Amino acid sequence: MRAHIITYGCQMNEYDSHLVASELVSLGWELVDSVEEADFVLVNTCAVRGKPVEKVRSLLGQLRKEKERRGLLIGMMGCLAQLDEGQQMAKKFGVDVLLGPGALTSLPEALKANERFWDLTFREDVLDYIPPPPKGALSAHVTIIRGCNHHCTYCIVPTTRGPEVSRHPDLILKEIELLKQAGVVEVTLLGQNVNSYGKDQPGFPSFAELLRMVGGMGIPRVRFLTSHPVNFTDDIIEAIAETPAICRYIHLPVQSGSDRVLRRMAREYRRAHYLERIRKIREALPDAVLSTDIIVGFPGETEEDFQETLSLYDEVGYDQAYMFIYSPRPGTPAYKHFQDLPREVKVERLMRLIEKQKEWSYRRNLEWVGKTVEVLVRGEAKEEGFVQGHDRGNHPVLVPASQAPVPGLYQVEIKQATPHLLFGEVVGAKAPAPIPCPWPRG
Ligand code: SAH
Ligand code: SF4
Ligand code: F3S
């Protein structure tokens, strides 16, 4: 029996796809790379914006045709599966197995059932599952907390993933130890809001304490995603500053620079608080690389509000930003209570923000020219003759393929910068010795 998994959405979904893939393998399934080869196609869905939802709708339409033609089993999991919108789709397109993000460990039972199997419960054992290390990977994700306790008015995630639940630290450390033994050199701790780690369970370490624990395990690089400006407290900054393994790359979503918009978003902080956090980060970690998420065209956002986002961008001078046009999500407070802005207004603002982002990324990238950085080379680049990796600040870095013949960690001197890329040359000793293996490697 052969299965194919298609994944939309964020790193949490990628992790969950890896989790179900390992469940399938342990049940004796073979994983294949295409729908055509598969008896079971499982779609891991995202509902954060309209676009991924529409992609799933059209994919399910194609899968239903395939099912009618040759009797395929269709599975749907992830965030959209948890919503009415997704369940309507599942009915319409003949989905056989439907699992919410908390029900992934029901898969074996679902595959045994000879009828439609839907599970939308939160199963405690989803926290206990330790997927085996991804084959040959140098970099891996580890979920440390599921769910979100914030209630940003635009966001569907608290509805799809439920309240925050932290994984037991022993499980996290065990999973990371296995990754280390398998040759992984970079671990990313994942959660919708990793900063809240431990708060829901008496006796668990705080996020800052967990960072120190993981940072002391001998993994060369430890990263984390995502932080929330309200929960990004001084103890976390101190833990990063005092733990060399932790990468000084901080993704701190601001969403808007306008207090009026932040209030309507229910972001729980104001511009001044955010900028104070940035000041504190810069003071303790002068070499920190900063990135953010910004939503443009939130309902009621005026030109003045948008100008405040642009001015905040200049005040911080982000290295990188992920910018989104506001997408009304049924079931969210903003969808119910606020009027969406015209599309032209939103698109025009996004274009101006992208210009700002390019200017700053170029400026920030140029600051790295002449410096030596540690690059995790992972595979061939699109550019002929180069391999690609990323440094500790998450910048994509290209080096001549002849200088980095195998994937691994290299010391690289940056020679050139563009708004999107750094180009460098391998210098001196590789640090530490890369693990030899054939291309391609994840
Ligand atoms: N928990 C993380 C990530 C949430 S989803 C956080 O709080 O930052 C990732 C990003 O998608 C968000 O940061 C936000 O910028 C964006 N996003 C969420 N809902 C959105 C919506 N309805 N429309 C547009 N962008 C949205
Ligand atoms: Fe969504 Fe806000 Fe939670 Fe992030 S913090 S997942 S944006 S509700
Ligand atoms: Fe999408 Fe769910 Fe992630 S809505 S962004 S897959 S948490």
Side-chain angles (χ1 to χ4, degrees):
M1 296 291 272
R2 299 191 292 188
H4 177 53
I5 303 177
I6 301 169
T7 308
Y8 295 98
C10 61
Q11 285 97 337
M12 306 256 335
N13 262 18
E14 280 170 30
Y15 178 89
D16 286 345
S17 286
H18 174 59
L19 191 158
V20 293
S22 49
E23 283 187 291
L24 285 166
V25 169
S26 68
L27 292 168
W29 287 72
E30 185 193 341
L31 296 174
V32 290
D33 291 330
S34 70
V35 170
E36 291 71 37
E37 295 167 86
D39 309 296
F40 177 36
V41 177
L42 183 53
V43 189
N44 193 358
T45 61
C46 171
V48 79
R49 282 172 288 276
K51 238 190 211 154
V53 174
E54 288 323 307
K55 279 190 187 156
V56 169
R57 191 190 302 280
S58 79
L59 176 64
L60 288 177
Q62 290 164 22
L63 293 178
R64 179 177 59 179
K65 282 194 199 130
E66 190 81 2
K67 183 176 178 173
E68 283 161 3
R69 201 167 61 79
R70 63 176 181 97
L72 180 75
L73 192 69
I74 306 176
M76 179 173 176
M77 60 184 267
C79 288
L80 184 57
Q82 193 70 32
L83 301 175
D84 281 348
E85 194 181 5
Q87 289 148 30
Q88 297 298 338
M89 264 184 223
K91 274 191 202 132
K92 181 169 168 203
F93 295 112
V95 167
D96 305 285
V97 173
L98 182 127
L99 303 175
L104 308 179
T105 37
S106 289
L107 187 61
E109 205 184 321
L111 291 170
K112 259 189 249 144
N114 279 324
E115 51 184 7
R116 201 174 77 169
F117 183 100
W118 289 18
D119 189 354
L120 297 164
T121 59
F122 183 83
R123 291 182 55 140
E124 291 285 328
D125 62 356
V126 82
L127 298 168
D128 304 335
Y129 193 93
I130 298 188
K135 270 219 169 59
L138 293 175
S139 187
H141 293 147
V142 175
T143 292
I144 62 165
I145 179 168
R146 288 182 177 267
C148 178
N149 280 3
H150 290 282
H151 298 283
C152 306
T153 53
Y154 51 81
C155 185
I156 199 68
V157 173
T159 313
T160 64
R161 289 193 168 247
E164 287 167 2
V165 199
S166 301
R167 284 180 85 194
H168 196 289
D170 291 351
L171 294 168
I172 296 170
L173 299 183
K174 189 168 163 197
E175 189 165 325
I176 295 173
E177 187 56 40
L178 290 173
L179 291 168
K180 185 182 141 190
Q181 284 166 17
V184 165
V185 293
E186 179 184 80
V187 161
T188 304
L189 308 178
L190 286 185
Q192 285 307 329
N193 176 12
V194 284
N195 305 157
S196 283
Y197 177 79
K199 284 186 189 149
D200 56 301
Q201 304 286 340
F204 276 21
S206 66
F207 180 60
E209 286 162 345
L210 185 74
L211 276 182
R212 289 179 195 269
M213 288 155 88
V214 177
M217 290 178 72
I219 298 255
R221 290 183 179 201
V222 178
R223 327 160 66 85
F224 55 93
L225 276 176
T226 299
S227 294
H228 192 292
V230 161
N231 307 109
F232 201 79
T233 42
D234 288 354
D235 58 334
I236 298 174
I237 300 175
E238 283 154 24
I240 302 167
E242 290 164 18
T243 316
I246 298 172
C247 293
R248 290 158 174 222
Y249 165 73
I250 294 169
H251 180 65
L252 198 60
V254 68
Q255 313 298 358
S256 169
S258 152
D259 279 350
R260 215 177 62 89
V261 175
L262 288 172
R263 183 168 35 88
R264 284 160 67 86
M265 288 177 164
R267 279 295 281 181
E268 301 164 62
Y269 57 87
R270 297 295 173 258
R271 178 188 177 104
H273 171 87
Y274 185 89
L275 288 173
E276 202 279 321
R277 290 293 81 202
I278 297 290
R279 188 193 59 73
K280 197 80 200 217
I281 292 168
R282 290 240 187 265
E283 187 182 277
L285 311 161
D287 55 348
V289 172
L290 291 173
S291 77
T292 196
D293 289 348
I294 296 174
I295 296 179
V296 295
F298 185 75
E301 183 189 76
T302 61
E303 177 58 28
E304 290 71 40
D305 292 321
F306 179 63
Q307 288 295 336
E308 296 211 30
T309 297
L310 293 177
S311 75
L312 178 128
Y313 205 118
D314 285 330
E315 270 187 63
V316 179
Y318 292 107
D319 295 79
Q320 192 49 268
Y322 301 87
M323 298 156 287
F324 308 103
I325 282 183
Y326 169 72
S327 168
R329 300 309 308 132
T332 59
Y335 178 86
K336 259 178 248 157
H337 302 300
F338 301 142
Q339 175 83 38
D340 197 11
L341 289 178
R343 184 157 175 86
E344 317 80 78
V345 174
K346 299 197 286 186
V347 170
E348 193 270 337
R349 286 183 191 161
L350 178 69
M351 293 306 148
R352 277 191 282 160
L353 187 61
I354 290 174
E355 279 312 304
K356 171 80 60 201
Q357 177 266 323
K358 272 196 213 148
E359 264 170 46
W360 269 108
S361 293
Y362 189 34
R363 246 168 100 169
R364 291 296 188 208
N365 280 355
L366 282 173
E367 290 170 5
W368 291 91
V369 175
K371 292 189 178 149
T372 297
V373 296
E374 180 200 84
V375 178
L376 174 53
V377 172
R378 295 180 69 184
E380 277 161 23
K382 274 195 270 137
E383 289 75 359
E384 179 95 37
F386 287 91
V387 287
Q388 179 155 0
H390 55 281
D391 66 6
R392 297 180 70 88
N394 213 28
H395 300 103
V397 183
L398 264 55
V399 293
S402 57
Q403 297 180 4
V406 291
L409 292 170
Y410 290 84
Q411 292 296 336
V412 171
E413 187 182 325
I414 302 301
K415 298 286 187 189
Q416 215 187 317
T418 74
H420 309 290
L421 288 173
L422 298 176
F423 288 84
E425 300 210 343
V426 173
V427 288
K430 294 152 193 165
I435 303 117
C437 79
W439 300 110
R441 209 166 168 178

